[in-house]
Amino acid sequence: MSPFLLTRTLPEGTAGADLRADVLHGLTRTPKELPPKWFYDARGSELFEEITRLPEYYPTRAERDILAARAAEIAEATGARTLVELGSGSSEKTRHLLRALRPGLEGYVPVDVSESALTGAAAALIEELPGLRVHALVADFTRGLALPGTPGPRLVAFLGGTLGNLLPAQRATFLRAVRALLEPGDALLLGTDLVKDEATLVAAYDDAAGVTAAFNKNVLSVLARELGADGDPDDFDHVAVWDAEHEWIEMRLRARHALTVKIPELGLAIPFEAGEEMRTEVSAKFRQEGVRKELSAAGLELTRWWTDEKGWFGLSLATAV
């Protein structure tokens, strides 16, 4: 039996239809906005991997440190025979969990919208961890998700602080959907970036080298390639601001002068006034009690809580109530 199986539950062409819908909805409203998932074409994914290595961008390092230090505890607490990872990407940090869960681990189920990311990560993992069986799912977990039949108990991991890219109502819907996936004995491992001083937060999203700016502007390249849009990245500035009321970072693109972006595929001409901003990402930051409440509202109980040495990033283990 092959150690690798790939299942596509995201129909071909779905991404294009979703992009059109998001552009129609987001760029014809006030204020303008686009969801952050459109950063991540091949170039955007490369830029994000570069961001994770920047000195200012602490979340990846902090979460990796927690996983390295606590993977054995997580394995002992869950006894998972299947690891499911939502938004798995390169699966880099997951290696700590996979190693700790062996030899009882029977399978790994990475879930991502990118087939190339899944196949590349799976090939590397199978080589590194002989005997590992990988059943990859090409799927958008925000649309609802059905998992393949896998032996339990299962550990569902949602790492990287990605929960913070969802607005509160979206987070509630997502967590309820995860709760519906869990059977008795299953658990959720959730990574959340934590509230800290504004300067540290803003620097993480506006690095001195300008990599995050290039990442933010990459959405314009996606619109150009997929929809024929003529937005010039040089006409926009990258902006990162801390919203203290909502306790989240917003990334925006700010028009340097009055301009119009034409999108032929949709028959749109989108005017921007000088200084007008388009929101491209929200990244919410959390506190332990807030995480506990959101999990509880979804029918999940926070049972373990770990942070890095600085207390900058939190890793939660939760079970179904």
Side-chain angles (χ1 to χ4, degrees):
M1 179 182 295
S2 171
F4 178 66
L5 176 65
L6 185 137
T7 301
R8 172 179 286 278
T9 64
L10 191 65
E12 296 282 0
T14 299
D18 286 352
L19 176 60
R20 287 172 168 77
D22 285 343
V23 169
L24 278 168
H25 172 74
L27 298 192
T28 57
R29 68 189 300 275
T30 304
K32 297 177 175 67
E33 65 178 10
L34 284 173
K37 67 181 179 180
W38 301 117
F39 292 139
Y40 294 96
D41 63 352
R43 176 58 178 155
S45 296
E46 290 175 358
L47 285 168
F48 183 72
E49 288 298 319
E50 189 174 343
I51 287 170
T52 65
R53 297 188 290 270
L54 293 170
E56 298 96 332
Y57 195 79
Y58 62 85
T60 300
R61 289 189 299 276
E63 188 177 42
R64 185 187 299 117
D65 289 347
I66 302 170
L67 287 168
R70 304 295 185 177
E73 292 178 43
I74 296 166
E76 183 178 0
T78 62
R81 296 170 64 199
T82 300
L83 175 62
V84 178
E85 184 177 9
L86 306 179
S88 55
S90 65
S91 303
E92 181 186 352
K93 290 173 293 188
T94 320
R95 286 162 167 77
H96 296 292
L97 286 174
L98 291 169
R99 293 190 182 100
L101 288 167
R102 302 183 85 186
L105 186 71
E106 296 192 25
Y108 173 49
V109 182
V111 182
D112 203 278
V113 295
S114 170
E115 182 172 341
S116 60
L118 288 167
T119 54
L125 287 171
I126 290 169
E127 183 176 351
E128 290 176 30
L129 303 171
L132 179 67
R133 295 173 61 185
V134 179
H135 186 166
L137 295 183
V138 182
D140 183 349
F141 57 79
T142 64
R143 290 169 157 264
L145 182 65
L147 295 176
T150 52
R154 297 178 300 178
L155 176 60
V156 178
F158 189 45
L159 304 174
T162 309
L163 184 73
N165 293 147
L166 304 177
L167 296 174
Q170 296 171 323
R171 293 201 301 265
T173 298
F174 169 76
L175 289 172
R176 286 195 299 268
V178 171
R179 166 63 184 88
L181 293 175
L182 301 184
E183 298 175 357
D186 292 348
L188 167 67
L189 186 67
L190 178 66
T192 47
D193 195 9
L194 304 180
V195 175
K196 57 190 66 65
D197 67 281
E198 180 176 351
T200 298
L201 286 165
V202 172
Y205 293 83
D206 193 11
D207 62 277
V211 182
T212 311
F215 176 68
N216 194 7
K217 292 182 182 185
N218 188 63
V219 73
L220 298 173
S221 300
V222 172
L223 297 185
R225 184 183 63 251
E226 300 298 329
L227 301 177
D230 64 356
D232 186 341
D234 289 338
D235 287 335
F236 292 85
D237 288 321
H238 163 69
V239 180
V241 296
W242 170 242
D243 184 327
E245 178 185 355
H246 295 102
E247 295 192 323
W248 64 45
I249 286 281
E250 288 194 9
M251 290 210 315
R252 305 169 184 168
L253 291 174
R254 177 187 293 157
R256 291 178 174 172
H257 53 83
L259 59 95
T260 299
V261 175
K262 299 182 180 64
I263 309 178
E265 289 287 326
L266 298 177
L268 292 177
I270 307 297
F272 284 82
E273 297 178 4
E276 184 177 356
E277 295 176 343
M278 172 175 67
R279 187 171 75 183
T280 52
E281 180 177 85
V282 163
S283 184
K285 309 306 171 186
F286 297 85
R287 302 176 189 270
Q288 182 179 0
E289 189 53 36
V291 173
R292 185 187 304 277
K293 288 180 178 178
E294 292 197 34
L295 289 171
S296 178
L300 295 160
E301 180 183 3
L302 178 62
T303 58
R304 301 290 296 272
W305 171 266
W306 301 279
T307 68
D308 59 293
E309 289 185 356
K310 292 182 177 179
W312 281 6
F313 199 93
L315 201 62
S316 310
L317 189 66
T319 56
V321 176

